[in-house]
């Protein structure tokens, strides 16, 4: 089975400051890793994914994440946040060759203050 | 291309009733997955359907069931509602729902159905 731990439930930050949202995972088999964003009253939108290859993954809206196999981590970063980045962020994994099942972390609420 | 649509968006039911939620996937997508989102348990996988067959199932009681039609539209049903079933129910569609080495069919999520059980 897979599990995901998001280390911070809430992260407040000022506009234009850098931010890192932390994610650790546990799995005995190969997995793919994802970050999703959820704005109020909306579904989930994929920010970025790691399937294989380069461990630094770039996504939409200026976000990037680094896969670290030895530390089983997949932290999300953005060098300069905007007010519009205020949302809830979910780290997720899925087992390679699985059917539809994503396992999510508990979420991190990012609040960007002016 | 239209996104994933879910109906209704909001629903209020009372304990003991049953409810049916609907999900229309993106055109051409044949896999539909369902998730329950609650403040306490977070996002949890319910089940996945492909070509009218359930291929994967999460750890939910038998009161939660689903089906998929030949046009890939899916419904989920919850019988004998409990207060704890109050949640946002999300569905997601993908081309095939499967992933292989180095490839992945992205899941696209709908806006969800907010179910409140009184």
């Amino acid at each position: 089975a897979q599990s995901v731990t998001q280390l911070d439930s809430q992260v407040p930050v000022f506009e234009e400051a850098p931010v890192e949202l932390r994610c650790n995972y546990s799995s005995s088999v190969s997995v793919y890793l994802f970050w999703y964003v959820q704005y109020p009253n909306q579904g989930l939108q994929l920010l970025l994914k790691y399937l294989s290859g380069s461990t630094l993954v770039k996504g939409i809206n200026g976000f990037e994440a680094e896969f670290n196999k030895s530390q089983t981590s997949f932290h999300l970063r953005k060098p300069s946040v905007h007010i519009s980045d205020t949302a809830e962020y979910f780290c997720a994994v899925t087992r390679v060759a699985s059917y539809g099942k994503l396992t999510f972390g508990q979420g991190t609420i990012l609040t960007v203050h002016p | 291309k239209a996104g994933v649509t879910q109906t209704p968006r909001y629903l209020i039911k009372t304990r003991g009733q049953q409810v049916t939620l609907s999900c229309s996937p993106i055109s051409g997508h044949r896999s539909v997955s369902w998730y329950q989102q609650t403040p306490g348990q977070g996002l949890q996988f319910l089940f996945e359907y492909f070509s009218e067959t359930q291929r994967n199932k999460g750890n939910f009681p038998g009161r939660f069931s689903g089906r998929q039609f030949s046009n890939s539209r899916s419904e989920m049903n919850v019988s004998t509602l409990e207060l704890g079933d109050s949640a946002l129910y999300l569905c997601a569609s993908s081309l095939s729902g499967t992933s292989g080495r180095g490839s992945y069919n992205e899941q696209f999520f709908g806006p969800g159905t907010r179910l409140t059980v009184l």
Side-chain angles (χ1 to χ4, degrees):
Chain A
Q2 295 79 50
S3 68
V4 179
T5 302
Q6 291 184 240
L7 299 163
D8 307 290
S9 59
Q10 296 193 53
V11 173
V13 65
F14 286 107
E15 194 173 19
E16 297 183 8
V19 71
E20 179 179 78
L21 306 183
R22 299 178 294 167
C23 171
N24 286 103
Y25 70 95
S26 173
S27 177
S28 57
V29 298
S30 295
V31 294
Y32 295 142
L33 296 145
F34 310 86
W35 276 98
Y36 282 86
V37 61
Q38 185 177 36
Y39 299 101
N41 297 317
Q42 294 187 28
L44 301 172
Q45 181 184 9
L46 182 65
L47 278 177
L48 47 79
K49 61 182 181 286
Y50 175 77
L51 304 182
S52 63
S54 173
T55 57
L56 184 62
V57 179
K58 293 191 184 297
I60 62 172
N61 301 341
F63 285 93
E64 63 181 31
E66 184 150 23
F67 170 61
N68 188 317
K69 189 173 183 180
S70 62
Q71 297 186 12
T72 60
S73 67
F74 190 55
H75 301 333
L76 181 71
R77 294 192 288 258
K78 186 170 183 178
S80 175
V81 294
H82 304 288
I83 297 287
S84 59
D85 293 323
T86 295
E88 189 160 17
Y89 293 78
F90 293 92
C91 181
V93 302
T94 189
R95 184 170 56 87
V96 172
S98 66
Y99 296 131
K101 180 179 179 180
L102 287 165
T103 299
F104 288 90
Q106 286 294 101
T108 297
I109 297 173
L110 174 65
T111 304
V112 181
H113 298 284
Chain B
K1 200 183 245 188
V4 177
T5 57
Q6 293 186 245
T7 56
R9 290 292 311 277
Y10 301 91
L11 207 47
I12 299 175
K13 292 286 188 179
T14 56
R15 284 168 50 191
Q17 287 187 310
Q18 74 164 18
V19 67
T20 299
L21 313 182
S22 179
C23 173
S24 293
I26 292 171
S27 177
H29 286 192
R30 297 173 64 191
S31 167
V32 174
S33 297
W34 287 90
Y35 295 85
Q36 181 196 63
Q37 185 177 19
T38 60
Q41 299 299 316
L43 278 153
Q44 293 185 288
F45 173 77
L46 280 155
F47 28 65
E48 188 261 1
Y49 285 86
F50 178 81
S51 290
E52 303 177 64
T53 300
Q54 185 183 91
R55 294 192 301 186
N56 204 351
K57 187 176 185 302
N59 296 323
F60 279 81
R63 300 185 298 106
F64 292 82
S65 63
R67 60 178 176 168
Q68 187 180 36
F69 302 94
S70 57
N71 63 357
S72 296
R73 190 178 69 85
S74 178
E75 290 181 347
M76 68 162 283
N77 185 77
V78 188
S79 62
T80 319
L81 284 166
E82 300 177 0
L83 296 178
D85 297 333
S86 293
L88 181 67
Y89 290 88
L90 295 164
C91 83
S93 76
S94 70
L95 283 170
S96 69
T98 58
S99 58
R101 292 225 168 258
S103 69
Y104 177 73
N105 288 308
E106 180 180 343
Q107 291 191 29
F108 293 84
F109 283 81
T113 293
R114 173 79 60 187
L115 172 65
T116 302
V117 182
L118 302 176

